[in-house]
Amino acid sequence: MRDLVRRPLFWPTLALVLLLALNTVVTPSFLSVRIQDGHLYGSLIDILRNGAPVLLVALGMTLVIATRGIDLSVGAVAAIAGAVACVYIAGSSQQAATSTLLTAVAMAVGVCVLLGLWNGFLVSVLGIQPIIATLVLMTAGRGLAMLITDGQITTVVSPGFKVIGAGFVATLPVAILIALAVFALTAVLARRTALGLLIESVGINPEASRLAGIHARTITWTVYVFSAFCAGVAGLMIASNTSAADANNAGLWIELDAILAVVIGGTSLAGGKFSLTGTLIGAMFIQTLATTIPTIGIPAEANYLFKAVVVIVVCLLQSPKARAALRSRRPRRATPTVRTETA
């Protein structure tokens, strides 16, 4: 049991299980999943579907944080992706055409990749601190999305575009399948190839990695491009779910949810080792918490307050220093003294 408690994923997993148990107590049918019109429905399915954008953004954020970086621009990048796709579809004479959908998605993802290249250029080439470099795009990106949409909420009528965020394939929501596919691809590249080791080495000591022959600049550039790509796909999901691009609110504060998911999953903000499985658990925890708060009758406005409190508790439980301090305060049992008589 002591070895189990010391594992990094024990506390976030326990917190997620406790949240699910609380929801089950409040709503006995919380864990039930039913098939309706050939599709899976239920609270768990809703959590997975609504948590898919957070998981995607958190995956990119995990690799960025592993290189000692941070990407605050993912929310703005998600808004830009939705704006580009919806504006192109709305301006097309054939909104429902498959070619229109494919072109819109390709344009949106392409723009996001360019934005990722920009972030990577500022960080790896110019040497600007990641929090400052990405803060620039976080601020300017919303304005760029507003320019693309002319400051209006752009609605589209495209059944194919609707499928990305609200469609079903083989009874499962497409959003879940896309998120799991990106997660699986990331896990294979990061754990079955040398890429994960290179990312960790750059995060632990960039200078030593450079001296060892690792192209730290290329690795850093790559993770920022991947982060922007994930944010772009998440932005398409968000816009697809409402069939509209809201440049002001789409992806708002999703960067904070992604960072919280990464931290809860056990990845250190100091860089180095990372856990994709922990990020998955953290993303599901964040979305479950967002669902739990209104379920138990607490106003949704208190969502971020509860997130902050829970994250602090989980991080303290994960911290070796905090656990050592708690152990040192426990009263120790007095050991009986044995007297020996000498002849």
Side-chain angles (χ1 to χ4, degrees):
M1 184 62 185
R2 185 175 300 175
D3 294 337
L4 181 63
V5 171
R6 289 177 179 175
R7 294 186 178 182
L9 297 182
F10 174 79
W11 293 110
T13 304
L14 178 62
L16 178 59
V17 171
L18 290 177
L19 271 183
L20 294 174
L22 175 61
N23 281 277
T24 305
V25 172
V26 176
T27 308
S29 61
F30 180 79
L31 296 178
S32 64
V33 177
R34 68 184 186 277
I35 296 180
Q36 181 178 337
D37 299 330
H39 303 151
L40 286 177
Y41 286 95
S43 298
L44 289 179
I45 301 300
D46 291 339
I47 290 175
L48 292 173
R49 184 180 68 243
N50 296 331
V54 177
L55 174 58
L56 282 172
V57 177
L59 285 174
M61 190 71 71
T62 301
L63 300 186
V64 170
I65 289 176
T67 61
R68 289 189 181 183
I70 199 76
D71 191 352
L72 299 180
S73 66
V74 287
V77 172
I80 291 173
V84 170
C86 288
V87 166
Y88 180 82
I89 294 175
S92 174
S93 59
Q94 297 178 336
Q95 291 192 24
T98 303
S99 59
T100 302
L101 170 64
L102 295 177
T103 304
V105 171
M107 288 177 58
V109 173
V111 169
C112 292
V113 168
L114 291 177
L115 295 175
L117 287 170
W118 168 253
N119 283 337
F121 173 76
L122 294 180
V123 174
S124 64
V125 178
L126 299 185
I128 300 176
Q129 292 183 355
I131 192 171
I132 302 300
T134 56
L135 185 62
V136 171
L137 186 56
M138 176 185 178
T139 306
R142 291 284 172 185
L144 180 59
M146 294 288 287
L147 285 175
I148 294 173
T149 59
D150 257 348
Q152 305 294 324
I153 297 178
T154 305
T155 58
V156 297
V157 181
S158 174
F161 186 67
K162 186 74 174 177
V163 168
I164 298 175
F168 289 83
V169 171
T171 74
L172 288 174
V174 173
I176 297 177
L177 297 177
I178 294 175
L180 290 179
V182 175
F183 175 82
L185 179 61
T186 307
V188 169
L189 292 177
R191 295 307 182 194
R192 299 298 180 183
T193 68
L195 179 61
L197 182 62
L198 297 178
I199 291 174
E200 290 179 347
S201 65
V202 170
I204 293 172
N205 194 325
E207 185 61 23
S209 300
R210 185 185 66 80
L211 294 176
I214 298 174
H215 297 285
R217 178 180 297 179
T218 303
I219 296 296
T220 303
W221 216 328
T222 301
V223 296
Y224 279 97
V225 171
F226 179 71
S227 178
F229 168 79
C230 291
V233 177
L236 290 175
M237 284 185 184
I238 296 171
S240 168
N241 202 29
T242 58
S243 293
D246 186 353
N248 222 9
N249 297 309
L252 190 63
W253 307 125
I254 197 171
E255 59 273 3
L256 299 184
D257 285 344
I259 295 172
L260 293 180
V262 174
V263 173
I264 290 173
T267 299
S268 173
L269 290 175
K273 292 186 178 297
F274 61 92
S275 173
L276 295 177
T277 304
T279 297
L280 173 63
I281 296 174
M284 292 303 101
F285 174 83
I286 292 296
Q287 188 57 46
T288 305
L289 181 63
T291 304
T292 303
I293 291 173
T295 300
I296 61 180
I298 299 176
E301 290 77 10
N303 191 0
Y304 287 99
L305 175 62
F306 277 87
K307 284 182 181 179
V309 172
V310 172
V311 166
I312 290 174
V313 172
V314 173
C315 290
L316 287 176
L317 292 174
Q318 287 180 325
S319 171
K321 291 184 178 180
R323 293 201 301 266
L326 290 175
R327 284 196 298 267
S328 64
R329 290 179 177 274
R330 293 179 183 173
R332 297 181 179 180
R333 296 181 180 179
T335 56
T337 58
V338 180
R339 295 181 179 179
T340 59
E341 295 183 359
T342 58

Short mmCIF file of all heavy atoms in Angstrom, two decimals, residues 13-14 55 62 143 166 175:
data_model
loop_
_atom_site.label_atom_id
_atom_site.label_comp_id
_atom_site.label_asym_id
_atom_site.label_seq_id
_atom_site.Cartn_x
_atom_site.Cartn_y
_atom_site.Cartn_z
N THR A 13 -5.74 9.87 -9.65
CA THR A 13 -6.72 8.82 -9.92
C THR A 13 -7.72 8.71 -8.78
O THR A 13 -8.94 8.58 -9.00
CB THR A 13 -6.01 7.47 -10.13
OG1 THR A 13 -5.05 7.60 -11.19
CG2 THR A 13 -7.02 6.39 -10.49
N LEU A 14 -7.22 8.77 -7.55
CA LEU A 14 -8.12 8.72 -6.38
C LEU A 14 -9.07 9.90 -6.37
O LEU A 14 -10.27 9.76 -6.08
CB LEU A 14 -7.28 8.69 -5.10
CG LEU A 14 -8.09 8.67 -3.78
CD1 LEU A 14 -8.94 7.42 -3.70
CD2 LEU A 14 -7.14 8.77 -2.59
N LEU A 55 -8.47 17.80 -23.36
CA LEU A 55 -7.45 16.76 -23.48
C LEU A 55 -6.49 17.06 -24.64
O LEU A 55 -5.27 16.92 -24.50
CB LEU A 55 -8.11 15.40 -23.69
CG LEU A 55 -7.17 14.22 -23.99
CD1 LEU A 55 -6.15 14.04 -22.87
CD2 LEU A 55 -7.96 12.94 -24.22
N THR A 62 1.56 19.43 -22.49
CA THR A 62 2.45 18.52 -21.77
C THR A 62 3.84 18.52 -22.37
O THR A 62 4.85 18.61 -21.66
CB THR A 62 1.87 17.09 -21.79
OG1 THR A 62 0.58 17.08 -21.18
CG2 THR A 62 2.78 16.13 -21.04
N GLY A 143 -7.68 39.33 -31.03
CA GLY A 143 -7.94 40.42 -31.97
C GLY A 143 -7.92 39.94 -33.41
O GLY A 143 -8.74 40.37 -34.23
N ALA A 166 -20.05 17.21 -32.70
CA ALA A 166 -21.31 16.68 -32.18
C ALA A 166 -21.79 15.43 -32.91
O ALA A 166 -22.90 14.99 -32.68
CB ALA A 166 -22.40 17.76 -32.25
N ALA A 175 -15.85 13.40 -31.38
CA ALA A 175 -14.88 14.18 -30.62
C ALA A 175 -14.01 13.28 -29.74
O ALA A 175 -12.79 13.48 -29.62
CB ALA A 175 -15.60 15.21 -29.75
#
